[in-house]
Amino acid sequence: EIALSPHTQRRIANYLLTKTTQCFVTTHSPYVIEYFEPEQITILKRDKTAKVSGTNVTLSAGLKAKTYHKNVRKGLAEAILANGVIVAEGITEVNVLQSVSQKMEEHDNKIMPLDLSGVTIISADGDGNLWEFGAFIKSLNIPVFAFLDKKKRTDKENTKLKESFDLVNETNYLGMEDLLIQQVPLEHQWNFLAEQRELDTEGKFGIPNDRPDDEVLRERTKQVLKAGKGDGRACLLIDLCSYDELPKSVKDFLEVKVSGDASFSPDEKKIAYLSNVTGTSQVFLISSEGGESEQLTDFKDSVSFVQFSPTENVLIFGKAKGGDEQTQLYLFNLNTRKITDIAVDSNAKYSF
């Protein structure tokens, strides 16, 4: 499928489904997945011990069949293959998350791009659909996160959201447009409006030639953004921002730090663990009694696991290169601080 265009992949999938009695298809392509019904799909994954397990795709978690078929090409087929999924309330939220993450990645080359990390961002097309998408993706054992606008919800609705997602991030604003006009510098909003005025040949937005007062400026920006929800106008506004000027609420959400995969030393006095506090998942060391942690690795690529030797002051860890998923093995000697390749073959994928 690497050498085949999406249209060719779909033709092959259609042929297999309509012209054969029975077939088994293995694929990494969302263009192939979208042709199959959920009950025909099984997700295969290999864990750190190289054990392969399968998860059947079903709609029993609450996603309606109509919603699945409407959204399978728009993102669900890719989400099924993802390492993690962000479900945004609407298309404007998706555009802003993608634009801000791209700006962050350009600012710091140590940050692994969301796409290369296997993270998919999809739109729920409305607040009322969020929990359906979250529950469906969570049922596939894929980490799933919600990004949504502020809204008064019942206790039942809040419970439903929390049960459907690993993390729910609700902004303090009623809509993404409200967030942007409050958190993007006014100078950029005016430059954005000036660009839109040139395109607004009919003058329907009433953008003046002279800059109005701040509140009118914000209202004009909001009006133009809401009128162009599907044309990516929010992306044009984000493009005018430097890293330090990016909307704080969005940047803070994307900078959520995670630590895990802990392993004790043989004497149980030290703990090695992974954290993405630097932008990519790296190896850290801390005393089991607490205190300051020490960063042991600093690669551009993420470290996938770390484990103490059961008898020596040595760590083994795995790392792929450039997102190719071909995990290679390395030893870290804590006495000499030397890293040694122990299983490095770009044509092989190792596990420990």
Side-chain angles (χ1 to χ4, degrees), residues 21-317:
T21 304
Q22 184 181 43
C23 65
F24 291 89
V25 179
T26 58
T27 182
H28 291 93
S29 172
Y31 305 114
V32 174
I33 290 173
E34 69 182 46
Y35 256 79
F36 291 81
E37 293 298 319
E39 61 271 15
Q40 295 176 297
I41 303 170
T42 298
I43 302 171
L44 299 179
K45 289 191 176 180
R46 192 194 311 271
D47 65 17
K48 294 173 185 176
T49 65
K51 181 181 177 181
V52 176
S53 61
T55 302
N56 294 325
V57 177
T58 71
L59 302 183
S60 59
L63 189 69
K64 299 181 182 69
K66 180 179 179 181
T67 305
Y68 175 86
H69 289 107
K70 176 183 175 183
N71 290 275
V72 64
R73 178 171 290 190
K74 291 165 62 177
L76 279 180
E78 183 179 315
I80 288 172
L81 299 166
N83 294 324
V85 178
I86 298 172
V87 182
E89 184 170 330
I91 189 61
T92 302
E93 284 78 10
V94 171
N95 289 339
V96 170
L97 285 166
Q98 291 174 335
S99 295
V100 171
S101 67
Q102 185 176 348
K103 282 278 188 177
M104 293 169 66
E105 293 152 13
E106 291 170 354
H107 173 76
D108 184 355
N109 60 15
K110 287 186 178 180
I111 296 177
M112 177 69 77
L114 283 180
D115 189 46
L116 297 186
S117 301
V119 177
T120 296
I121 306 176
I122 63 174
S123 168
D125 289 336
D127 182 273
N129 302 325
L130 280 161
W131 75 269
E132 287 186 52
F133 284 89
F136 170 69
I137 294 163
K138 197 171 185 179
S139 74
L140 305 178
N141 299 315
I142 299 171
V144 59
F145 314 94
F147 187 87
L148 58 153
D149 302 326
K150 184 178 181 179
K151 179 185 175 183
K152 189 174 181 179
R153 297 179 176 84
T154 64
D155 291 341
K156 184 178 180 180
E157 289 172 330
N158 284 323
T159 299
K160 213 170 189 179
L161 279 173
K162 289 177 181 177
E163 290 175 348
S164 302
F165 292 93
D166 296 293
L167 173 71
V168 176
N169 185 94
E170 182 182 73
T171 73
N172 293 321
Y173 300 90
L174 298 177
M176 178 53 71
E177 295 83 10
D178 296 292
L179 185 155
L180 292 174
I181 64 174
Q182 294 299 328
Q183 296 192 1
V184 171
L186 287 167
E187 177 187 355
H188 296 326
Q189 294 186 45
W190 176 238
N191 290 334
F192 164 74
L193 288 178
E195 292 175 1
Q196 294 300 308
R197 185 179 59 231
E198 298 302 315
L199 300 173
D200 183 20
T201 55
E202 298 178 3
K204 59 183 178 181
F205 296 129
I207 302 172
N209 291 319
D210 297 324
R211 175 172 167 167
D213 63 55
D214 293 350
E215 284 310 306
V216 173
L217 174 55
R218 288 191 176 97
E219 283 304 312
R220 284 285 187 272
T221 302
K222 180 178 177 178
Q223 178 190 8
V224 173
L225 289 173
K226 287 180 77 70
K229 277 184 175 290
D231 354 351
R233 290 181 190 172
C235 301
L236 300 176
L237 184 56
I238 296 297
D239 284 344
L240 297 173
C241 299
S242 67
Y243 172 80
D244 294 327
E245 296 168 334
L246 293 171
K248 186 176 185 302
S249 297
V250 182
K251 192 161 70 167
D252 287 350
F253 169 70
L254 292 171
E255 286 181 336
V256 169
K257 306 303 179 186
V258 178
S259 298
D261 208 36
S263 175
F264 280 88
S265 60
D267 60 8
E268 298 188 347
K269 292 183 177 180
K270 296 186 287 288
I271 302 173
Y273 66 96
L274 299 182
S275 175
N276 67 348
V277 69
T278 60
T280 57
S281 183
Q282 301 297 324
V283 181
F284 288 76
L285 188 70
I286 193 170
S287 167
S288 56
E289 296 180 354
E292 291 291 321
S293 61
E294 177 188 3
Q295 183 176 349
L296 300 182
T297 63
D298 186 20
F299 300 109
K300 182 177 180 180
D301 301 304
S302 290
V303 176
S304 56
F305 75 88
V306 62
Q307 185 74 43
F308 254 107
S309 162
T311 57
E312 301 178 44
N313 199 29
V314 173
L315 299 170
I316 185 170
F317 67 88

